[in-house]
Each structure stands twice: as C-alpha cells, then as structure tokens.
Amino acid sequence: MSESKTQGLRLTLGGAPDTPHTIPGVPGLFRPNVPTPVGGPGEIDAKLAKKLHDDKKVDLELVDIPKGKVDDARATAQQDVMDARHGLLDSRKARQLAGREQERQSEQAASINAVTEGGASNA
Amino acid sequence: MPNTGYANWRFESTPGNESNTPTLSTKSLFTPHIEAGPNEGIEHLNRDDENRGLGEPLPVLPETYTPEWSLEQRIYPDALGFFLKLMFGAPTTATGDGIITDQDSTPIPTGAFRHRWDTSTWSDGLTPQTAQATFAYADQSLFIKHKGAACAQMQLTNPDTGGSRMSLEGPSLYGSEIADPSLTPSYESTSIRPFMHGDLDLPDWLTNTGTTSEFEMTFTNPVEAIRSFAIASLSPDSMERGDDLPTIAGSIGKRNIDPDDQAALRNATAFAATARYVSRSIIASSYPYKFYVVMSNAQYVEGEVGALTNSRHIEGSFNFKASAAGAAAAVLELVNATSSYG
C-alpha cells in the first residue's frame, strides 16, 4: 500500500475560470486548476469525496495532490473561504441581495459554515 | 428552502433545430441570473372560420412555435464574456504574460486572459453563433430546452445601487419540454464581484461635455429565425443574421446641459469615447477584472434638453452610437479569469 497521499476535489465544469466555485448542497469551494484537499481536519471526509466523484451529475473529480503542492492547495482553499466570507459580508452591506441571488448567498453561507465547523460528511 | 432551479448554457457548433444535433461546447455556464426564461411562442391553428354548419368553436391544432428567451443578471465577468461571444462570435483571446497590455497599456499578468471583439469583423457570414439553453424549473419538475438560441440584444445598465445589470434576449429555433437532465449547477464564488456603478468611468468622451448623471449601453445583433422548408417542423429551422447592421449604442444623461453636447448633437460631431469598468475583484497579481467599450467615432444621434425652469440644474439626455470612420466602430475588451470560451 502506498504512503498516505492527499487527495482533493477538482471542479470539472467545462470552461470554468480558475476561480472558486460553489455547488449547491456540497460543502466547500472548488477550482478547476487547484484541487480542494479532502480528508483532513475541517475538510470534506474521504467517503463523501468519493461519493461526489462517483456522482456523474456533479462536476467534481477526486485527484491526487502531489506531495509538494498540498500545503499550497490547503492555503488556497482556506483563502477562498475567507474571500467568500468577505464577499458575503460586502454584498449584504451593499444590499445587493435579491431573489435568487439571496438564495445562492444562503447556499454559499451553508457551504462555508459546513466546511469550517469541523468538516462535513453529508451533502 | 431555496429554489433548486437553474439555467445552463453551452455554445452550439451550428444552430440547433428540431432535427439536428449540434456539437456542444466544452464551456458550460450556469447563470447567476435574477430572472431567466423561455417563451415558447405557441400559436395554434384556429378553424372557427370554417363553414361546417356549426355555431360553436372548433378544436385548435398545434401549428407554429416561435420560441424566444430572455435573461437578466448582474454583469459578472465570466458570464459577460459568454454572452458577448453569443452575440458577436468568438473573441480574439490572449493569455496574460506580463507583457500583453489592456486598453490602458497596463500589462496583463499570468492568470488573466484578454478577450477582444472588434466590430470591423463581427458580422462576417450569414450564420450567427447560437447556444443550447436548458431552463430547469427543478422544483416544479418542468425542464425546457432551447436549441439554436441566438442573442439579438444586450443592454447594460448602471443603477446607483443593486449592481450593474445586463438584460439579454433573442430568438431560438426550437424549444421543447425534456426529461430532467439531472445537471448539478456550479456557480462562481460570490467573492468574484459583478461590475457595479462605482466601477464605471468614461475616461474618454466629448471634450467639455456636461456632468454625466446616467450611462447605459445597448448592443444589437439583428438575427432572424426562419422557416426554410429544410425540415418538416412547426418551429423555425434556420438562424440567420438580419439585414440591419449590428450596433454599439447607448444613452448618456447629463445632470446639467452643456452647449458642447448640444452642438455635438446638431453637428453630428464625432468623438473618441471609452466606457471602462474596473472591478474591485482581483484576477491575479493585483490586476482587476476589467471591461472596456472603446468607440473610435462616437456620435450623438438623438437628444433633448430639459425644459427651461427656475432650477439650478437643467438636465439633458443624449443617445449615441459608435460608427466606423477609418477604424473599427468599437472594440470590446474583457479581461477576466476565463481562459477560453470554446
């Protein structure tokens, strides 16, 4: 059996820009070029990650993260969460919320909170 | 419980109609729209004019479908590029490398991509770009697919609050109810801001123009959904560019009228004009998302001054359009994080 390796979920939405994305019902944020690590503290657990990978309706792929890139991937994932929080705070302040966007904001808030409250094992 | 519906868009290799199956693009967009919807344009055959010795209405029959679509959302950089391609065709895309520059001659870093549309080439050919759109009313279990969706108009408005908006509409060739495609939408993080009123300035406009109070732009791309007897269908089967020219135009409101604006209207004075959005969201290396509309030869085509009243401010409003006089009427340039709209 190989050494414990770190895996991550990569967004496979066709043509997506290399920016963080949310998926309703799935905790966390995901990029096409930088996998979001899974299995660690505060991260999606490996079982859910595999389930998301196997679900062909969800544009996520479980990939191995090279050892030398794990720290950078984790830092990116954490920064994306922080930036998303600021985005939420700023948009609420600016009263941009309207209709479907308000619902999308709520979904994103749920995703962020699920990730940061000790990880998530349910989609 | 949030609405689980969504709208998904993908470019087509050729306009889709009832019978063909165009190849769809890799690029797939789930729009963070405020409102989106299909209109199937259903018109049934009414036969009440027939002499059948009956004094009652006759059953109608399906006869024609003339589908259309519309969408309103904030101006998010990725989606803006998608719909600009839908209107004007594929952009010329360059990858940021710290050497290529934007319209301000600022180097564009790695991680950012410059997409440019030049009006001097945008209307080549009879067939416009089209897309397949899926409107999923998921909670209501109603799913409508449009094939051959073209974009005839994009309006960009900049209210003081609520974010700058783009309103889009156009005809489609074929619309139908479909089984649940079971797509799972993904949306860019809300940390990627839409362009807003406060991101917009007009670094180039008529010299000594009056103080601006409002600004909006309308891009048109005349298209026609036609029935050519190529296939037997109750829906149009072919999408073509219309005879009218595509236009880059808009309107500008003045807080206080100025004789220079009025003279420019009367004399059809041409002036270089630039509308520039610079986002507060960064793509990479401190370089923000940007969108430019650069008009080499803008002219006022209509206008009016407010009534003469006992007021310190008397407003005016002018419609303008971009015209070609030795150079492209307009260059649209979008710098964002999307590497390709293929």
Side-chain angles (χ1 to χ4, degrees), chain A:
Chain A
M1 190 167 179
S2 60
E3 277 184 23
S4 157
K5 57 189 175 186
T6 303
Q7 291 189 301
L9 284 169
R10 188 184 77 80
L11 183 74
T12 57
L13 175 67
D18 187 25
T19 54
H21 288 66
T22 59
I23 298 175
V26 179
L29 294 144
F30 308 96
R31 290 172 173 260
N33 293 355
V34 181
T36 300
V38 301
E43 296 170 354
I44 292 175
D45 71 30
K47 203 171 169 183
L48 173 60
K50 180 75 171 62
K51 183 179 162 189
L52 291 168
H53 170 83
D54 291 338
D55 186 348
K56 295 307 171 202
K57 295 180 297 191
V58 178
D59 289 319
L60 290 174
E61 174 187 54
L62 191 59
V63 298
D64 293 337
I65 303 177
K67 213 170 183 177
K69 297 202 171 177
V70 172
D71 288 344
D72 283 347
R74 285 214 156 99
T76 298
Q78 284 164 10
Q79 188 62 51
D80 285 345
V81 170
M82 294 305 300
D83 289 344
R85 284 194 158 151
H86 292 139
L88 284 173
L89 286 171
D90 285 349
S91 66
R92 282 175 184 159
K93 258 190 219 172
R95 295 181 191 168
Q96 284 184 28
L97 298 178
R100 175 70 187 114
E101 177 137 348
Q102 180 162 5
E103 290 157 2
R104 190 162 71 86
Q105 299 270 5
S106 302
E107 287 165 3
Q108 178 161 310
S111 295
I112 294 166
N113 291 337
V115 168
T116 56
E117 288 169 7
S121 57
N122 293 304

Side-chain angles (χ1 to χ4, degrees), chain B residues 318-329:
Chain B
F318 300 88
N319 293 345
F320 63 88
K321 80 167 191 183
S323 58

Side-chain angles (χ1 to χ4, degrees), chain A residues 15 19-20 22 57 90 96, chain B residues 27 74 184 187-190 193:
Chain A
T19 54
T22 59
K57 295 180 297 191
D90 285 349
Q96 284 184 28
Chain B
K27 179 66 181 173
R74 293 190 173 86
T184 300
Y187 302 100
E188 266 192 306
S189 167
T190 52
R193 299 172 191 234

Side-chain angles (χ1 to χ4, degrees), chain A residues 24 100 103-104 107, chain B residues 1-6 33 136-140 187:
Chain A
R100 175 70 187 114
E103 290 157 2
R104 190 162 71 86
E107 287 165 3
Chain B
M1 179 69 180
N3 180 356
T4 62
Y6 57 85
H33 53 265
Y137 299 82
D139 295 339
Q140 294 76 27
Y187 302 100

